[in-house]
Amino acid sequence: MKQPEVHLYRAADYPRMPWRNGGGTTQEVACNPGGSTAAFDWRLSIADVAQDGGFSAFTGYQRIITVLEGQGIELTVDGRAQAPLAPRQAYAFAGDAQVQCRLLNGPIRDFNLIYAPARWHARLQWVAGAGPWAFHSAASEVLVLTAGGALVVRINGAPHALPSRYDCLHAASSGGLAEYRLEAEAPLDACVIELLPRKV
């Protein structure tokens, strides 16, 4: 069984950049190999939102957002108010939607997956509670973000450590089913993203 190629992205190294609309800042966690902030197929990022306001437009993309820190937000998407979004609840919307954000009780930090649905299938899920937690995936790109403390991800039995909060592991596979196992001394608090290219 061929092991996926694994890369660890450290939270301390994430570059910080302004939003497209200038209303806040974002730290880029990871994007597809060969991609950039200006042009990418998929990207993970962490944003700090200090005030109410609008979201930047990403035409041609799909977005999934989750609150990491803070009390939560309320989104209005294309003029329709959505249910309040509490921490660890994922919400998906089109990148070209007109989105207004209202903070429920002070600033928040959120986690974003932005991807091109014409080129990629995507699945995002949160894992919480006592570990370990195992799953199998044939996705070509699997990413695990730890939102709690230190975490170990075993891939086909081989351990890979995520030492700090918001570190992210990226496993790239050329195909085949792999076993992933999340282990931590504290309760698990992690986000798992699976990305699979669409067949042309």
Side-chain angles (χ1 to χ4, degrees):
M1 182 181 294
K2 185 178 179 181
Q3 288 286 85
E5 181 181 342
V6 176
H7 185 82
L8 175 64
Y9 303 106
R10 297 300 307 272
D13 300 329
Y14 297 156
R16 186 178 292 276
M17 62 201 72
W19 291 358
R20 285 185 174 184
N21 66 7
T25 61
T26 291
Q27 289 178 286
E28 184 173 275
V29 176
C31 73
N32 61 280
S36 67
T37 302
F40 56 85
D41 280 352
W42 58 262
R43 188 182 81 169
L44 302 179
S45 61
I46 295 173
D48 290 296
V49 185
Q51 59 188 12
D52 298 349
F55 281 14
S56 302
F58 285 86
T59 302
Y61 290 89
Q62 181 79 4
R63 300 183 64 173
I64 304 177
I65 186 174
T66 302
V67 175
L68 290 176
E69 300 175 28
Q71 296 301 305
I73 54 176
E74 187 175 80
L75 300 179
T76 299
V77 181
D78 289 334
R80 295 184 179 182
Q82 306 299 309
L85 194 63
R88 305 303 183 271
Q89 292 178 330
Y91 179 76
F93 58 97
D96 59 356
Q98 295 288 323
V99 180
Q100 292 292 319
C101 170
R102 185 176 71 85
L103 302 174
L104 294 183
N105 188 17
I108 64 141
R109 174 170 283 185
D110 64 39
F111 179 57
N112 297 270
L113 166 63
I114 306 177
Y115 68 98
R119 297 187 291 276
W120 291 88
H121 295 280
R123 181 187 184 196
L124 181 151
Q125 60 182 321
W126 280 91
V127 180
W133 187 80
F135 67 100
H136 291 79
S137 179
S140 58
E141 316 286 338
V142 175
L143 298 106
V144 180
L145 179 98
T146 178
L151 178 69
V152 172
V153 179
R154 293 185 182 273
I155 305 176
N156 295 328
H160 302 275
L162 285 72
S164 304
R165 190 182 195 192
Y166 300 142
D167 286 350
C168 182
L169 179 136
H170 178 197
S173 172
S174 57
L177 194 65
E179 181 189 49
Y180 297 82
R181 184 180 175 93
L182 279 55
E183 302 173 350
E185 293 185 5
L188 293 172
D189 184 7
C191 189
V192 175
I193 298 99
E194 297 168 82
L195 293 154
L196 189 66
R198 290 186 182 273
K199 295 180 180 180
V200 179

